[in-house]
Amino acid sequence: MDVDDTIGVPRQRLRIVPDQAALDRLEVREAAVNAEMTTLLAGRRLAPTTDRPVPGDWPVILELARSGRAALERLLAAPVPARAGTVSLGQVVRVEEEKTDLAIFRRNGRSLVMVMAALAGAREAPIYGMLAVEEQLEKADADVVIAYRGQPRFPEEPVLLWHGEWEITYTTFRDLGLAFSGAFLLIYAIVVAHFRRFKLPLVVMVPVPLTLLGIILGNFVMGAKFTATSMIGFIALAGIVVRNSVLLVEFIEAQRAQGAAVRDALMEAGAVRFRPILLTAVTAMIGAVFIMSDPIFKGLAVSLFFGLVSSTPLTPLVIPAIYIWRRENAEQDRAASSAGSA
């Protein structure tokens, strides 16, 4: 039976072989040695003491703790039944050392050396550890190409390829970024269909990036990381913020259709529509508060809460400002066009 010596020198393997002479002298059966080694290294399920099934009965498995499997002395001190009592395992086996070759790791047909590490504390996210390693490589003037995905171009070129948790992070944010782009285009198409214009929906969607101000500030205040759930919260905020903008612009357009001046329509829209906008934001923020303490969905709650904190007061200010700026530019273009034709 082979036992990897995890404490000893690399490339060393220990082989435990039954000593037939000692087995005969101490009257120990080889089957008993094999059974004891199996129990120590792989565990053994104990047979039930009764044939009657017991509801909720759990199997009992006897095995050595993982910390004890690596210590050869503990293995050799294990008792083995003999004819005249018990003997230690070390009395009836021989421990032989043999050299083994190092494992050759490959990924997609390319040779590699894997270096694994776990991050925690201030550098919990993989990007912080990656930047720290790259900084040390730069200080050491290491001639190593750094890649975040893909394969090396040439087999002889040394490449530091980040994988593992970084690959999961990259794939997650890439997919969420594509989802946000798709949601943004779909929202734009819906607003275009509603107003039957192509430029006005751009004004409606301007407040969406404003939520990032609150999200960044919220993560800093709460000491949270920008995770995948934070990105999901940012995507969800796009719909809420656009809905608030539609309320404003729709009221402005209705007032303009009735003959109101632009500035009067803007002032009236801010006064009338701010209350429903505030109520919508407050209800969403209350829902976010209840999941703020959850370790997984904390990023989602922070994005929703602080994104609404920043976008709610800014939307009634930014939308009218952009609307009147756009209106004045359009009037100047028309005046210049009519002067040129004259």
Side-chain angles (χ1 to χ4, degrees):
M1 184 172 294
D2 296 340
V3 180
D4 289 332
D5 184 9
T6 57
I7 302 177
V9 183
R11 301 181 59 190
Q12 177 177 305
R13 175 177 293 178
L14 299 180
R15 182 182 295 274
I16 298 178
V17 182
D19 188 345
Q20 191 62 46
L23 292 175
D24 295 339
R25 185 179 69 257
L26 298 175
E27 297 184 343
V28 178
R29 293 183 299 110
E30 185 174 347
V33 176
N34 293 333
E36 186 64 26
M37 288 295 300
T38 302
T39 301
L40 293 174
L41 299 177
R44 178 167 58 90
R45 179 170 176 168
L46 299 182
T49 57
T50 177
D51 294 334
R52 295 179 57 187
V54 179
D57 188 21
W58 294 92
V60 178
I61 299 176
L62 181 65
E63 62 179 354
L64 187 66
R66 290 185 178 275
S67 58
R69 299 180 197 178
L72 182 61
E73 294 81 4
R74 295 184 184 181
L75 289 175
L76 297 181
V80 178
R83 188 181 187 86
T86 60
V87 297
S88 64
L89 181 64
Q91 293 179 264
V92 292
V93 297
R94 299 192 313 272
V95 180
E96 301 176 354
E97 295 184 4
E98 62 179 18
K99 298 295 182 180
T100 59
D101 294 329
L102 289 174
I104 299 177
F105 297 99
R106 296 182 183 275
R107 181 176 183 268
N108 296 337
R110 301 288 179 87
S111 299
L112 59 85
V113 175
M114 292 189 296
V115 179
M116 294 177 287
L119 298 175
R123 294 181 174 178
E124 183 178 356
I127 187 66
Y128 300 110
M130 293 163 57
L131 293 176
V133 171
E134 292 175 11
E135 182 181 354
Q136 294 299 321
L137 290 175
E138 186 177 352
K139 291 180 179 179
D141 293 330
D143 186 17
V144 178
V145 178
I146 298 176
Y148 298 97
R149 59 188 302 270
Q151 284 286 97
R153 293 175 298 175
F154 308 104
E156 64 277 4
E157 180 183 45
V159 176
L160 173 61
L161 175 63
W162 293 108
H163 210 320
E165 188 176 350
W166 161 251
E167 183 73 14
I168 299 173
T169 303
Y170 168 80
T171 303
T172 300
F173 278 92
R174 180 198 63 190
D175 295 344
L176 288 176
L178 293 174
F180 176 75
S181 302
F184 196 85
L185 292 175
L186 183 59
I187 292 173
Y188 175 76
I190 293 174
V191 179
V192 167
H194 178 72
F195 288 106
R196 300 183 183 277
R197 303 186 206 175
F198 289 98
K199 293 184 178 180
L200 187 60
L202 296 177
V203 178
V204 172
M205 302 185 73
V206 163
V208 173
L210 297 178
T211 59
L212 278 176
L213 299 176
I215 292 174
I216 295 173
L217 178 62
N219 281 274
F220 176 76
V221 171
M222 300 297 295
K225 304 291 192 301
F226 190 85
T227 61
T229 56
S230 303
M231 189 67 179
I232 295 172
F234 177 55
I235 297 174
L237 276 176
I240 299 175
V241 173
V242 168
R243 184 258 184 191
N244 294 337
S245 300
V246 168
L247 286 176
L248 277 175
V249 174
E250 192 174 37
F251 188 88
I252 295 170
E253 291 293 306
Q255 292 295 103
R256 291 286 296 145
Q258 294 177 8
V262 176
R263 295 182 182 275
D264 293 339
L266 295 176
M267 296 294 292
E268 186 72 14
V272 174
R273 292 301 194 188
F274 181 73
R275 184 174 180 179
I277 290 175
L278 181 62
L279 289 176
T280 302
V282 170
T283 53
M285 290 165 63
I286 291 174
V289 168
F290 286 97
I291 57 175
M292 192 77 73
S293 60
D294 188 274
I296 297 177
F297 294 101
K298 181 178 181 179
L300 172 64
V302 170
S303 294
L304 287 175
F305 187 90
F306 288 95
L308 289 171
V309 166
S310 64
S311 63
T312 301
L314 290 178
T315 297
L317 299 175
V318 173
I319 289 293
I322 296 178
Y323 188 93
I324 196 169
W325 172 78
R326 172 177 167 272
R327 188 82 178 183
E328 290 176 351
N329 284 346
E331 290 176 355
Q332 291 176 1
D333 292 341
R334 283 197 296 268
S337 178
S338 58
S341 61

